[in-house]
Amino acid sequence: MDNSEQTLNKPPTAMEKVKAQMAKLGPAAFGFLAFFTAVGSFATGGYISLGQEGLVELAGKLRTEPDPALRPTHEWIEIEKTIYQLDRREDAKYVLAKFTLRAPIDSAEEVRRRLPEVEFALQTYIRELSSRELQGAMGLYNLRNACLFRARRILGRDAVDDILIGELLVE
């Protein structure tokens, strides 16, 4: 019998079993070692570049402070739909309008508190309009600017940034 035939029939020794297992674990052990080396290098690099105080500050920002760019800066305040009568004649037309004010967050509460004054000023102005003044794009533009002017006059220039006309139906 050849020497190779004898080794095939012989049971493996303990040392040969260990060598076979090490051959199987080699790639896994190498990957494990490479992963922890990369993590350690990253952490060490961050510590060297930021220092301990920088890392503590960065960790605190990640946990507690939301991004200031995501905070809203303005609030939209709606004025209820109102029906106005134009042209104080018998064949008068009616207008249904809904306005929305855009106010900075810090002055929104004051705007809400004084909203009845703004509604009254808008009602007074719109009732004095004729139906011809609301025709076309220029009529809508003039209405928006006049309403914004009146809201700013009552609330202050910085209290209202914009006014939107949500609905405008002329009968």
Side-chain angles (χ1 to χ4, degrees), residues 7-168:
T7 56
L8 287 176
N9 293 332
K10 187 170 64 166
T13 62
M15 191 61 163
E16 290 173 349
K17 287 182 183 178
V18 171
K19 284 183 183 180
Q21 288 177 351
M22 288 299 281
K24 291 178 186 175
L25 289 178
F30 179 74
F32 186 73
L33 182 64
F35 173 74
F36 279 108
T37 304
V39 169
S41 299
F42 179 74
T44 304
Y47 184 77
I48 291 172
S49 64
L50 296 175
Q52 184 175 2
E53 295 85 15
L55 287 176
V56 169
E57 180 181 340
L58 181 63
K61 283 183 180 178
L62 292 176
R63 281 190 215 127
T64 58
E65 297 177 17
D67 187 10
L70 299 177
R71 290 188 200 130
T73 57
H74 290 80
E75 195 169 324
W76 296 97
I77 301 166
E78 292 185 3
I79 298 176
E80 293 183 28
K81 290 181 187 178
T82 309
I83 298 175
Y84 307 98
Q85 179 182 357
L86 302 178
D87 304 328
R88 300 193 188 265
R89 295 176 286 147
E90 287 184 21
D91 60 336
K93 295 189 176 190
Y94 292 92
V95 174
L96 174 91
K98 180 180 179 183
F99 298 100
T100 305
L101 300 172
R102 180 179 181 223
I105 292 285
D106 55 341
S107 64
E109 194 57 41
E110 176 70 16
V111 171
R112 274 197 195 85
R113 191 177 65 76
R114 298 186 65 190
L115 205 56
E117 295 176 55
V118 175
E119 289 177 9
F120 181 74
L122 296 181
Q123 286 175 2
T124 305
Y125 170 70
I126 292 173
R127 285 185 181 141
E128 296 299 321
L129 291 175
S130 67
S131 58
R132 279 193 214 148
E133 292 175 308
L134 291 176
Q135 290 178 350
M138 197 63 188
L140 194 61
Y141 178 77
N142 289 337
L143 174 66
R144 182 194 158 278
N145 284 339
C147 291
L148 180 61
F149 171 76
R150 281 163 176 72
R152 283 182 173 169
R153 189 175 64 196
I154 292 169
L155 300 169
R157 181 153 182 78
D158 297 332
V160 178
D161 289 341
D162 201 2
I163 189 166
L164 301 177
I165 302 173
E167 293 180 28
L168 185 70

